[in-house]
Amino acid sequence: ETESEAFVKERTSNERVLKALDRLKKVEQIVAMYGYEQYITVDLSMLSNYSYYTGVIFRAYTYGNGEALASGGRYDGLVAQFGKDAPAIGAVIIVDQLMLALERRNLILEKLQDEKRVVVSELSQMYGVSEETIRRDLDKLEKEGLAIKSYGGAVINEDVSIDLPFNVRKNQNVVGKQKMAEIVASLVHDGEHLLLDASTTAVFVAKALKEKERLTVITNSMEILLELADVSGWNIISTGGMMKEGYLAFLGSRTEEVIRSYFADTVIFSCKALDEKLGVMESQEAFGTAKKAMLDSGRKKILVVDNTKFDQTAFSVAGRLRDVDIVVTDVKPSEKWLKLFEEEGVECRYP
């Protein structure tokens, strides 16, 4: 343990990673107590939820100064130095392999989103794995409803009701989300009490709010809790509840109960779809009911939604357009929507 810690410290200047060493000691205790098999079971569960904790462990042992210490030829060097059976290193090698598979599938999905189609042979060369491995990745994406396999590759599933993984969604339309987040930040004042939902857009808003002072943030987003963990002078409140796999979101009756126990100055939220008749919509009922609770628990309601969500529908109605005070979007909406906003008394802001 001492040698492996020294190895990481010697090659790492990232303060955030160094803090993870204390957590690593606890992980090594788990390995020693339960053995590798139990440890793998625990980590598979964590990884399925895109656990930040597991990610930190992985980075602590595989990254130094931005380079992967356990990739390519350096992988062999790491094993040679510490031995494949060393508790921490042995366990993290397993996490390394699992993490790479998850990251590869997410990268394939991002490529599908951008290009609408992928080819097995190209992906095999791009990621340095066999074509059979790529086919298994595509099989998994198809089973999850995210892709449709075709001869020699796959095409994107255009069904709007399908939810992409959180880590993929947060990398979509980054510039647009940053612009919307800046607009929202200009509408928030020091000392306010805020309700933020578990959307990827709300994460960008949380980042943009960091210059504010004395804010109280209530959220059902694990990602936002982590993003704001180092902000001083704020009150950060987690709703708790049941963690939704792959979404980093707390949902369920307990979550809604906690939300309704507060009344915020401003509610900031996004949605899956926005329809002129049905209003604010979500692909899953649990997200819809959580947002209904938020709309009932705030004075000013700000809907932050990019242009791709307009004129779309989804499964669950979260609220009507008249429930919203301000719509913030990334481009100027059509005249039809601008007229509708005016009729409903909704203010519209865009860059």
Side-chain angles (χ1 to χ4, degrees), residues 104-114 141 144 146-147 156 164-165 168:
R104 187 178 61 247
R105 283 195 291 273
N106 282 344
L107 289 171
I108 292 171
L109 195 51
E110 287 181 24
K111 189 174 177 65
L112 271 169
Q113 286 289 304
D114 293 338
L141 292 175
E144 293 172 352
L146 301 171
I156 190 69
L164 297 172
V168 173

Side-chain angles (χ1 to χ4, degrees), residues 242-273:
M242 184 174 293
M243 174 67 79
K244 178 69 174 175
E245 181 180 353
Y247 293 87
L248 292 178
F250 293 115
L251 299 168
S253 58
R254 185 60 60 87
T255 300
E256 294 162 26
E257 181 182 342
V258 172
I259 290 171
R260 293 183 190 278
S261 70
Y262 296 101
F263 191 78
D265 297 305
T266 305
V267 177
I268 301 167
F269 70 109
S270 188
C271 66
K272 179 73 174 179

Side-chain angles (χ1 to χ4, degrees), residues 168-183:
V168 173
R169 286 185 286 118
K170 76 177 182 181
N171 292 324
Q172 293 180 318
N173 191 21
V174 170
V175 173
K177 289 175 180 175
Q178 289 172 338
K179 289 179 179 178
M180 292 188 292
E182 290 170 4
I183 294 173

Side-chain angles (χ1 to χ4, degrees), residues 45-181:
S45 172
M46 287 175 159
L47 285 167
S48 69
N49 291 322
Y50 299 97
S51 170
Y52 169 83
Y53 183 61
T54 304
V56 168
I57 297 166
F58 171 71
R59 283 192 293 272
Y61 271 93
T62 61
Y63 287 89
N65 299 324
E67 294 183 335
L69 298 172
S71 66
R74 300 191 184 197
Y75 174 92
D76 294 332
L78 189 65
V79 175
Q81 183 166 356
F82 296 107
K84 195 168 185 178
D85 295 326
I89 298 301
V92 175
I93 285 170
I94 294 164
V95 176
D96 183 355
Q97 294 166 346
L98 292 171
M99 187 71 77
L100 287 175
L102 285 170
E103 288 179 348
R104 187 178 61 247
R105 283 195 291 273
N106 282 344
L107 289 171
I108 292 171
L109 195 51
E110 287 181 24
K111 189 174 177 65
L112 271 169
Q113 286 289 304
D114 293 338
E115 302 176 13
K116 309 302 179 186
R117 183 176 182 272
V118 292
V119 178
V120 169
S121 57
E122 292 178 1
L123 294 175
S124 174
Q125 292 180 1
M126 186 179 297
Y127 300 120
V129 296
S130 69
E131 292 190 4
E132 186 58 36
T133 297
I134 295 296
R135 289 191 188 95
R136 285 196 295 270
D137 288 337
L138 296 179
D139 283 339
K140 185 168 181 62
L141 292 175
E142 185 174 51
K143 288 177 182 177
E144 293 172 352
L146 301 171
I148 300 171
K149 289 184 69 179
S150 61
Y151 182 76
V155 296
I156 190 69
N157 187 346
E158 299 282 7
D159 188 348
V160 72
S161 67
I162 300 295
D163 280 331
L164 297 172
F166 186 94
N167 282 7
V168 173
R169 286 185 286 118
K170 76 177 182 181
N171 292 324
Q172 293 180 318
N173 191 21
V174 170
V175 173
K177 289 175 180 175
Q178 289 172 338
K179 289 179 179 178
M180 292 188 292

